[in-house]
Amino acid sequence: MKEITAVIQPVRLGPVREALSLVGVTGMTISDARGFGSQGGSRDTYRGVEYRVDYVPKIKLDIVVSDSFVEPTIDAIIEAARTDVVGDGKIWVKDVSTVIRVRTGEKDETALN
């Protein structure tokens, strides 16, 4: 099992969720996040005053999938989140040793569905 973490633009959440549903992802955790990468933040103007935004709003997705779902999940996120503009986000994958469904006590692959 793997945990896929993706940081994406907030406006891409709907399309990413839809794409993940189409490939069979049945659950995820979504968090509001702020950060910066190669774009280094942004500059905005409010009432004629320019100011710098050091941390750009992002959405963080945490998804645990079986090994066979890793590539389809990553492909779906990339396809739906990509705008070809700096700041589209990042994806990383970590090993997961155990998953337990609290309600039933089911473990590992059984707990994912």
Side-chain angles (χ1 to χ4, degrees):
M1 293 176 296
K2 305 287 186 193
E3 178 183 10
I4 300 170
T5 300
V7 178
I8 63 170
Q9 294 184 29
V11 298
R12 303 308 302 160
L13 178 58
V16 168
R17 187 191 182 299
E18 214 171 283
L20 290 170
S21 180
L22 290 174
V23 297
V25 173
T26 58
M28 70 182 88
T29 301
I30 302 168
S31 308
D32 289 320
R34 292 186 302 153
F36 69 92
S38 57
Q39 84 271 25
S42 65
R43 295 197 180 278
D44 272 332
T45 304
Y46 179 71
R47 295 187 179 185
V49 176
E50 188 176 288
Y51 64 97
R52 181 176 169 85
V53 178
D54 291 325
Y55 303 104
V56 179
K58 298 288 183 179
I59 296 292
K60 180 180 173 188
L61 307 175
D62 292 302
I63 308 162
V64 178
V65 296
S66 61
D67 290 340
S68 62
F69 271 93
V70 172
E71 289 305 316
T73 301
I74 291 171
D75 292 344
I77 294 168
I78 290 170
E79 184 67 30
R82 177 181 284 155
T83 65
D84 292 326
V85 176
V86 172
D88 276 350
K90 292 276 191 289
I91 300 171
W92 58 92
V93 180
K94 298 181 279 188
D95 287 322
V96 174
S97 62
T98 304
V99 173
I100 301 166
R101 185 186 312 265
V102 173
R103 178 176 53 87
T104 62
E106 295 169 302
K107 290 188 175 188
D108 300 328
E109 300 287 331
T110 310
L112 292 180
N113 298 322

